[in-house]
Short mmCIF file of all heavy atoms in Angstrom, two decimals:
data_model
loop_
_atom_site.label_atom_id
_atom_site.label_comp_id
_atom_site.label_asym_id
_atom_site.label_seq_id
_atom_site.Cartn_x
_atom_site.Cartn_y
_atom_site.Cartn_z
N HIS A 3 -26.94 -7.46 -6.17
CA HIS A 3 -26.27 -8.48 -6.97
C HIS A 3 -25.44 -7.78 -8.04
O HIS A 3 -25.85 -6.77 -8.59
CB HIS A 3 -27.29 -9.42 -7.60
CG HIS A 3 -26.66 -10.45 -8.48
ND1 HIS A 3 -25.90 -11.47 -7.98
CD2 HIS A 3 -26.65 -10.59 -9.82
CE1 HIS A 3 -25.46 -12.22 -8.98
NE2 HIS A 3 -25.90 -11.70 -10.10
N ILE A 4 -24.28 -8.32 -8.33
CA ILE A 4 -23.41 -7.71 -9.32
C ILE A 4 -23.04 -8.75 -10.36
O ILE A 4 -22.65 -9.85 -10.04
CB ILE A 4 -22.16 -7.10 -8.67
CG1 ILE A 4 -21.34 -6.38 -9.69
CG2 ILE A 4 -21.35 -8.14 -7.95
CD1 ILE A 4 -20.25 -5.52 -9.08
N PRO A 8 -17.68 -8.89 -18.97
CA PRO A 8 -16.77 -9.98 -19.34
C PRO A 8 -15.29 -9.75 -19.02
O PRO A 8 -14.65 -10.66 -18.49
CB PRO A 8 -17.02 -10.17 -20.84
CG PRO A 8 -18.44 -9.73 -21.02
CD PRO A 8 -18.63 -8.59 -20.05
N MET A 13 -10.83 -11.51 -15.48
CA MET A 13 -9.77 -11.15 -14.53
C MET A 13 -10.00 -11.88 -13.21
O MET A 13 -9.06 -12.32 -12.56
CB MET A 13 -9.73 -9.64 -14.30
CG MET A 13 -8.66 -9.20 -13.33
SD MET A 13 -6.98 -9.64 -13.79
CE MET A 13 -6.71 -8.56 -15.15
N ARG A 14 -11.25 -12.04 -12.80
CA ARG A 14 -11.57 -12.76 -11.56
C ARG A 14 -11.00 -14.17 -11.61
O ARG A 14 -10.40 -14.66 -10.67
CB ARG A 14 -13.08 -12.77 -11.32
CG ARG A 14 -13.53 -13.62 -10.15
CD ARG A 14 -13.17 -12.94 -8.84
NE ARG A 14 -13.58 -13.74 -7.72
CZ ARG A 14 -12.75 -14.19 -6.78
NH1 ARG A 14 -11.49 -13.90 -6.83
NH2 ARG A 14 -13.19 -14.91 -5.79
N LEU A 26 -10.54 -7.30 -6.76
CA LEU A 26 -11.17 -6.88 -8.00
C LEU A 26 -12.44 -6.10 -7.68
O LEU A 26 -13.21 -6.49 -6.82
CB LEU A 26 -11.49 -8.12 -8.84
CG LEU A 26 -11.99 -7.92 -10.26
CD1 LEU A 26 -10.96 -7.16 -11.09
CD2 LEU A 26 -12.24 -9.29 -10.89
N THR A 71 -10.96 6.35 2.46
CA THR A 71 -9.60 6.44 1.92
C THR A 71 -9.44 5.57 0.68
O THR A 71 -8.91 6.01 -0.35
CB THR A 71 -8.56 6.04 2.99
OG1 THR A 71 -8.73 6.90 4.12
CG2 THR A 71 -7.15 6.15 2.47
N SER A 85 -3.08 3.37 -14.38
CA SER A 85 -2.62 2.71 -13.16
C SER A 85 -2.18 3.75 -12.14
O SER A 85 -1.71 4.83 -12.50
CB SER A 85 -1.45 1.77 -13.47
OG SER A 85 -1.90 0.68 -14.23
N GLU A 93 -5.69 -1.15 8.79
CA GLU A 93 -6.05 -1.89 10.01
C GLU A 93 -6.92 -3.06 9.57
O GLU A 93 -8.08 -2.88 9.22
CB GLU A 93 -6.79 -0.98 10.99
CG GLU A 93 -5.91 0.11 11.55
CD GLU A 93 -6.62 0.99 12.57
OE1 GLU A 93 -7.47 0.45 13.32
OE2 GLU A 93 -6.32 2.19 12.58
N PRO A 107 -6.86 0.03 -14.14
CA PRO A 107 -8.21 -0.03 -14.70
C PRO A 107 -8.37 -1.20 -15.66
O PRO A 107 -7.41 -1.63 -16.30
CB PRO A 107 -8.34 1.31 -15.44
CG PRO A 107 -6.94 1.69 -15.79
CD PRO A 107 -6.07 1.12 -14.70
N ILE A 108 -9.57 -1.71 -15.72
CA ILE A 108 -9.95 -2.74 -16.69
C ILE A 108 -10.96 -2.08 -17.62
O ILE A 108 -11.95 -1.50 -17.15
CB ILE A 108 -10.57 -3.97 -16.01
CG1 ILE A 108 -9.60 -4.57 -15.00
CG2 ILE A 108 -10.99 -5.00 -17.05
CD1 ILE A 108 -10.22 -5.61 -14.10
N GLY A 112 -15.52 -2.89 -25.68
CA GLY A 112 -15.77 -1.90 -26.74
C GLY A 112 -16.90 -2.32 -27.63
O GLY A 112 -18.01 -1.86 -27.48
N GLY A 121 -13.87 -1.92 -14.49
CA GLY A 121 -13.36 -2.56 -13.28
C GLY A 121 -11.99 -2.04 -12.91
O GLY A 121 -11.35 -1.31 -13.67
N ILE A 122 -11.58 -2.41 -11.73
CA ILE A 122 -10.25 -2.06 -11.23
C ILE A 122 -9.69 -3.30 -10.57
O ILE A 122 -10.36 -3.95 -9.76
CB ILE A 122 -10.32 -0.90 -10.21
CG1 ILE A 122 -10.84 0.36 -10.88
CG2 ILE A 122 -8.95 -0.67 -9.57
CD1 ILE A 122 -11.12 1.51 -9.90
N THR A 127 1.29 -5.41 -2.03
CA THR A 127 2.47 -6.07 -1.50
C THR A 127 2.66 -5.61 -0.07
O THR A 127 2.69 -4.40 0.19
CB THR A 127 3.72 -5.69 -2.34
OG1 THR A 127 3.49 -6.07 -3.69
CG2 THR A 127 4.96 -6.38 -1.82
N ARG A 163 44.42 20.82 23.31
CA ARG A 163 45.22 20.65 24.51
C ARG A 163 46.69 20.40 24.15
O ARG A 163 47.59 20.85 24.85
CB ARG A 163 44.71 19.47 25.35
CG ARG A 163 43.52 19.82 26.17
CD ARG A 163 43.22 18.72 27.18
NE ARG A 163 41.79 18.70 27.37
CZ ARG A 163 41.03 17.64 27.34
NH1 ARG A 163 41.56 16.46 27.14
NH2 ARG A 163 39.74 17.73 27.51
#
Side-chain angles (χ1 to χ4, degrees):
H3 178 69
I4 185 168
M13 180 59 71
R14 173 73 180 122
L26 188 60
T71 302
S85 291
E93 293 182 35
I108 301 169
I122 296 172
T127 301
R163 280 191 212 132

